[in-house]
């Protein structure tokens, strides 16, 4: 989404109620929800990203920003943890190789969260540290 974006919601949340958080975001009146291709994809991606914060970070809270532009919306979730090597994770997903989000002694490996987000969002971006994900969802073209 290249258009100017307006912040319509920003929440500081504890990531243990991912479904309730997704519902709150999806009920925001500042978004033209009828123009979104599949609103269920947004809810699923929000839940998966929050689940990842809860289970894979050292951060206690996350900030969720909802930005609206002419072309669609962006949901940005930032946690207080140290981040992860998202480039390695994406490369592993694309090549079908397993990867760990923790150190080598851990049993934590790639689950369904990040692959689902990459599949369902129209565009996914991370900050350099890997502790913030921006999920873009385009409006359908009308006319």
């Amino acid at each position: 989404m290249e258009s100017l974006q307006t912040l319509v919601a920003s929440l500081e949340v504890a990531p243990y109620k991912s479904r309730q958080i997704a519902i709150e975001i999806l009920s925001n009146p500042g978004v033209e929800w009828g123009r979104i291709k599949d609103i269920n994809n947004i809810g699923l991606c929000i839940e998966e990203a929050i689940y990842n914060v809860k289970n894979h970070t050292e951060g206690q809270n996350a900030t969720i920003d909802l930005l609206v532009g002419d072309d669609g919306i962006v949901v940005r979730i930032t946690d207080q943890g140290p981040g992860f090597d998202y480039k390695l994770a994406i490369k592993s997903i694309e090549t079908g190789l397993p990867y760990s989000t923790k150190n080598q002694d851990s049993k934590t490996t790639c689950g369904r969260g990040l692959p689902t987000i990459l599949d369902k969002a129209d565009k996914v971006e991370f900050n350099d540290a890997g502790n913030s994900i921006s999920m873009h969802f385009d409006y359908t073209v009308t006319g």
Side-chain angles (χ1 to χ4, degrees):
M1 178 185 329
E2 301 300 324
S3 66
L4 183 63
Q5 300 169 358
T6 303
L7 181 68
V8 296
S10 185
L11 307 168
E12 183 79 20
V13 298
Y16 58 88
K17 293 186 176 183
S18 61
R19 174 126 332 177
Q20 292 89 337
I21 294 165
I23 289 169
E24 184 171 343
I25 291 289
L26 294 174
S27 64
N28 188 291
V31 177
E32 296 179 61
W33 295 111
R35 292 182 58 202
I36 297 291
K37 289 183 268 186
D38 188 344
I39 196 168
N40 292 324
N41 284 344
I42 299 171
L44 178 61
C45 289
I46 292 170
E47 287 183 44
E48 291 293 348
I50 293 169
Y51 182 84
N52 286 348
V53 169
K54 177 180 146 191
N55 290 295
H56 300 291
T57 73
E58 298 166 13
Q60 296 298 312
N61 291 316
T63 301
I64 304 171
D65 295 326
L66 175 61
L67 300 109
V68 177
D70 293 336
D71 301 338
I73 69 167
V74 176
V75 178
R76 181 176 52 228
I77 300 177
T78 305
D79 66 64
Q80 301 165 347
F84 75 111
D85 187 344
Y86 65 89
K87 291 176 185 173
L88 176 62
I90 291 171
K91 182 178 178 183
S92 296
I93 291 166
E94 291 172 346
T95 60
L97 298 173
Y99 75 95
S100 175
T101 58
K102 306 249 183 196
N103 63 36
Q104 296 212 347
D105 296 332
S106 174
K107 302 287 186 210
T108 304
T109 59
C110 177
R112 70 179 191 146
L114 186 56
T116 297
I117 292 168
L118 293 170
D119 180 56
K120 302 297 183 188
D122 292 306
K123 180 179 177 184
V124 178
E125 298 175 305
F126 294 89
N127 68 352
D128 289 339
N131 69 339
S132 181
I133 184 171
S134 294
M135 302 172 290
H136 299 248
F137 302 93
D138 297 338
Y139 285 142
T140 57
V141 178
T142 59

